[in-house]
Amino acid sequence: MPARFGSLPASAAWRLRDALEGFEVVFPESTGDGYRLDGSTTAVEDGQPWTVRYEIVLDEAWRTRTAHVWGRSPRGEHEVRLDVDGEGHWRVDDVAAPHLDGCRDVDIESLACTNTLPVHRLALGVGQEADAPAAYVRWLDLRVERLEQHYVRVDDAGTRQRFHYTAPVFHYDDHLVYDGSGLVLDYPGIGTRVL
């Protein structure tokens, strides 16, 4: 059976741990013709403090349409805007970004919330799998790279949906657990949902 999720909560929060220490908060919203995620994170990673604020606009099929990210780190203040057409062609600060062609999602480094985008969009049934390359925004300077990712829907844990997630460039290979709204509850090495 394909992944089916209920309504998004008015807010969600994660305690970020292991690779970093911090907190992420998001205010998801259904807009009638899609979704909007408005969130922020403040953390310390490798001895460096940073903060990121983001606004992600998605269409009704959970495909990223725009992402606006603001950040501050020891390297200064940065801002980046990403736009994507319905065919998977991206623009970064209004400049074509062919290295991102084929990506359907935006993913922001060290955040838990953005891993909800591909599981909603793909709607995988148990045993199904898919590649989900993403436009990956680095927290230090908001540089945008291509991130190869892969999701496999595995057996549920009670009412919780589980996905085996791999990101080879980071040697990440683990199970992510999602609640009934499709927001990640447990992201090993990154964060745990507290609200």
Side-chain angles (χ1 to χ4, degrees):
M1 167 181 288
R4 298 276 184 241
F5 297 112
S7 298
L8 293 168
S11 60
W14 294 264
R15 182 178 320 282
L16 305 176
R17 56 178 169 68
D18 299 338
L20 66 162
E21 293 294 327
F23 218 77
E24 177 182 3
V25 175
V26 67
F27 298 93
E29 173 185 5
S30 177
T31 61
D33 61 351
Y35 305 91
R36 182 173 166 266
L37 304 175
D38 188 2
S40 61
T41 297
T42 301
V44 175
E45 187 171 356
D46 295 330
Q48 296 189 70
W50 56 272
T51 187
V52 167
R53 181 175 175 270
Y54 57 90
E55 179 186 70
I56 302 170
V57 176
L58 310 152
D59 67 15
E60 65 283 349
W62 282 84
R63 293 177 300 222
T64 301
R65 301 304 301 183
T66 65
H68 201 165
V69 185
W70 302 264
R72 184 167 184 173
S73 75
R75 290 199 183 168
E77 294 184 28
H78 301 279
E79 180 178 347
V80 67
R81 180 180 170 92
L82 295 88
D83 296 281
V84 61
D85 65 14
E87 303 300 316
H89 303 291
W90 294 72
R91 297 185 72 76
V92 176
D93 290 332
D94 209 26
V95 175
H99 67 288
L100 301 175
D101 281 358
C103 296
R104 299 290 182 189
D105 310 301
V106 65
D107 192 347
I108 303 173
E109 182 179 21
S110 298
L111 301 191
C113 182
T114 50
N115 284 77
T116 197
L117 308 184
V119 300
H120 274 274
R121 180 178 57 75
L122 294 168
L124 299 175
V126 173
Q128 293 182 320
E129 59 186 277
D131 290 325
Y136 189 67
V137 181
R138 293 284 195 165
W139 63 259
L140 186 62
D141 54 11
L142 304 189
R143 182 177 71 248
V144 182
E145 305 170 352
R146 182 185 187 91
L147 176 64
E148 300 298 335
Q149 305 177 104
H150 189 79
Y151 287 82
V152 180
R153 171 93 182 271
V154 297
D155 289 337
D156 295 343
T159 61
R160 308 298 189 204
Q161 291 187 23
R162 296 184 322 132
F163 293 81
H164 187 87
Y165 168 66
T166 55
V169 72
F170 298 121
H171 308 289
Y172 193 90
D173 186 338
D174 214 328
H175 287 81
L176 308 184
V177 179
Y178 290 78
D179 72 0
S181 70
L183 291 174
V184 68
L185 288 169
D186 184 28
Y187 188 161
I190 298 295
T192 303
R193 181 98 168 269
V194 296
L195 173 67

